[in-house]
Amino acid sequence: MNILGIETSCDETAAAVVKNGTIILSNVIATSAEMHAKTGGIIPENAARQQIKSVIPVITSALEKAKLKSENIDAIAVTYGPGLIGSLLVGIETAKTLSLLWNKPIVPVNHLSAHIYANWLSNKKVPKFPALALVVSGGHTDIVLMKNHGKLEWIGGTKDDAAGEAFDKTARLLGLPYPGGPEISTEAEKYMTKNPKVKLSFFPRPIIHEKNYDWSFSGLKTAVLNEVKDKTLNEEEKQKIAAEVQEAIVDVLVKKTLRAVREYKPKSLLLAGGVAANTRLTEKFKIAINEHAPNTSFFVPQPKFCTDNAAYIASFAYFNHSPIAWQKINANPQLTIAGQI
Ligand code: KG4
Ligand code: ZN
């Protein structure tokens, strides 16, 4: 079964064709990130305008690269939320039009639940249920128990800023461009290479000891602001703060997720979302799981599948196939992972 996935929830315009939920036939992404780097963050109108320009060329390219014609597509999957309303509408309206023109079923996809399916893409090993999934993206940080495909139970999330947002906002305070996650990671790496033995424990680890699976990252942003304001930092000082910020975020994510692993004893732990591309995070998870939960298999997608793309949108639709009439699909910018799937 060949599914065409379409993803336009934020600043990436993406289309992919995935066979049987796991084999990527094509995966095309146009990003307007460079434009947003200039404004220090995303201006929604700019993102939507870029989506309109890119959506048809990206879909055409995905079909060409997969060497398929519309008649070889069995279904269309499209993100309907969460995201920026203008950006979401571009993908949704395009997908609806194609569904009508080609007479193909259309599957509305929750972007957050779909992120988890990057773990099914081109992996030799298939995750087993029950699984715990930690979704760490730019706007969301959620931990869910997956009893099976389509059976998700939300067990915790962030009370304020998401982990990705914490990376992005502190990067901005350090004068680093958007998106901040990869920038902080690069700067932190420089510091850790020069100072491999230094203990990184300067910034607070909010609510790390609370007996729940929630996070709070806004205090970290304030702590960084207090540290940098009215100062001119040199490169070395910036790198140190980047390393400290990264360590604080990684520390709370790993410790609290590990507590959930101990409680729920899942067969698999799945990382997903843009922040899962962070090597320090994945290294620390590998060590922690190895030491404390060796019966749980740890999965993390290749970095290129962690950040937004349409391949996991198509994969999600394959495993949770629930087509609905195109007339009934609406954008839902506030959709949550625990919301309608
Ligand atoms: O999942 P994603 O691509 O888009 C959303 O659905 O939000 O996540 C984007 C987020 C951004 O906050 C970005 O800074 C972060 O993922 N990110 C990273 C890394 N690569 C992307 N954060 C930390 N380390 C990275 N290597
Ligand atoms: Zn995303």
Side-chain angles (χ1 to χ4, degrees):
M1 181 172 196
N2 296 323
I3 299 187
L4 169 68
I6 301 174
E7 152 63 41
T8 67
S9 66
C10 191
D11 56 339
E12 266 91 26
T13 314
V17 182
V18 177
K19 187 176 173 182
N20 298 339
T22 58
I23 302 157
I24 298 172
L25 302 183
S26 65
N27 188 17
V28 180
I29 305 170
T31 177
S32 53
E34 226 170 81
M35 172 200 257
H36 308 303
K38 287 185 197 133
T39 49
I42 296 173
I43 295 174
E45 286 86 344
N46 290 350
R49 229 171 269 138
Q50 284 305 117
Q51 295 285 6
I52 292 170
K53 280 190 196 156
S54 305
V55 72
I56 298 295
V58 164
I59 293 172
T60 308
S61 168
L63 288 172
E64 275 170 14
K65 289 202 166 125
K67 298 192 174 54
L68 295 177
K69 298 215 177 322
S70 58
E71 51 267 35
N72 311 115
I73 296 296
D74 299 295
I76 299 166
V78 65
T79 301
Y80 74 102
L84 303 170
I85 181 75
S87 291
L88 284 168
L89 283 172
V90 175
I92 292 171
E93 295 308 316
T94 309
K96 284 179 174 181
T97 309
L98 293 178
S99 159
L100 182 67
L101 272 176
W102 297 347
N103 193 24
K104 304 287 176 189
I106 179 166
V107 183
V109 174
N110 179 328
H111 176 91
L112 293 173
S113 324
H115 256 299
I116 302 168
Y117 282 80
N119 287 290
W120 270 262
L121 292 172
S122 302
N123 264 349
K124 288 187 194 89
K125 236 171 101 185
V126 175
K128 285 195 182 135
F129 297 115
L132 261 184
L134 174 68
V135 182
V136 270
S137 71
H140 298 82
T141 302
D142 290 296
I143 182 159
V144 290
L145 180 64
M146 280 179 92
K147 292 187 179 148
N148 210 325
H149 296 297
K151 289 216 157 75
L152 265 68
E153 191 187 312
W154 182 86
I155 64 164
T158 184
K159 290 171 179 288
D160 39 56
D161 290 357
E165 206 174 344
F167 273 109
D168 293 337
K169 288 181 174 168
T170 52
R172 200 173 170 168
L173 292 173
L174 291 176
L176 299 168
Y178 175 88
E183 299 286 333
I184 294 266
S185 169
T186 307
E187 295 307 301
E189 189 61 39
K190 289 179 195 160
Y191 182 79
M192 290 187 297
T193 310
K194 282 184 267 181
N195 304 280
K197 296 223 163 81
V198 171
K199 196 163 186 289
L200 298 164
S201 56
F202 184 78
F203 287 121
R205 272 65 168 157
I207 66 172
I208 193 165
H209 299 299
E210 281 186 15
K211 302 269 177 277
N212 55 34
Y213 301 115
D214 293 335
W215 288 274
S216 166
F217 292 106
S218 67
L220 179 60
K221 176 186 65 192
T222 313
V224 176
L225 176 64
N226 288 335
E227 193 50 32
V228 304
K229 74 170 177 225
D230 307 325
K231 283 188 194 151
T232 312
L233 302 174
N234 63 29
E235 287 308 303
E236 174 87 19
E237 286 164 335
K238 272 192 198 174
Q239 290 162 10
K240 181 173 182 340
I241 291 176
E244 292 282 6
V245 165
Q246 175 173 270
E247 205 65 8
I249 297 172
V250 165
D251 219 18
V252 276
L253 288 175
V254 172
K255 292 233 167 83
K256 291 199 98 167
T257 304
L258 206 71
R259 187 183 302 145
V261 169
R262 285 205 194 95
E263 181 180 339
Y264 291 96
K265 299 181 180 51
K267 291 201 172 118
S268 322
L269 172 66
L270 317 176
L271 286 203
V275 179
N278 185 281
T279 40
R280 184 76 174 167
L281 180 71
T282 53
E283 272 165 20
K284 287 227 146 176
F285 259 119
K286 272 180 205 154
I287 294 167
I289 291 291
N290 228 354
E291 248 179 57
H292 303 289
N295 295 328
T296 298
S297 303
F298 176 62
F299 290 78
V300 60
Q302 290 174 41
K304 64 177 175 187
F305 298 137
C306 289
T307 45
D308 286 351
N309 65 78
Y312 63 70
I313 301 296
S315 174
F316 175 95
Y318 176 82
F319 289 107
N320 299 269
H321 199 66
S322 46
I324 66 172
W326 65 264
Q327 295 90 335
K328 292 197 175 144
I329 299 178
N330 291 310
N332 185 347
Q334 311 297 343
L335 187 67
T336 62
I337 199 163
Q340 186 195 349
I341 291 170

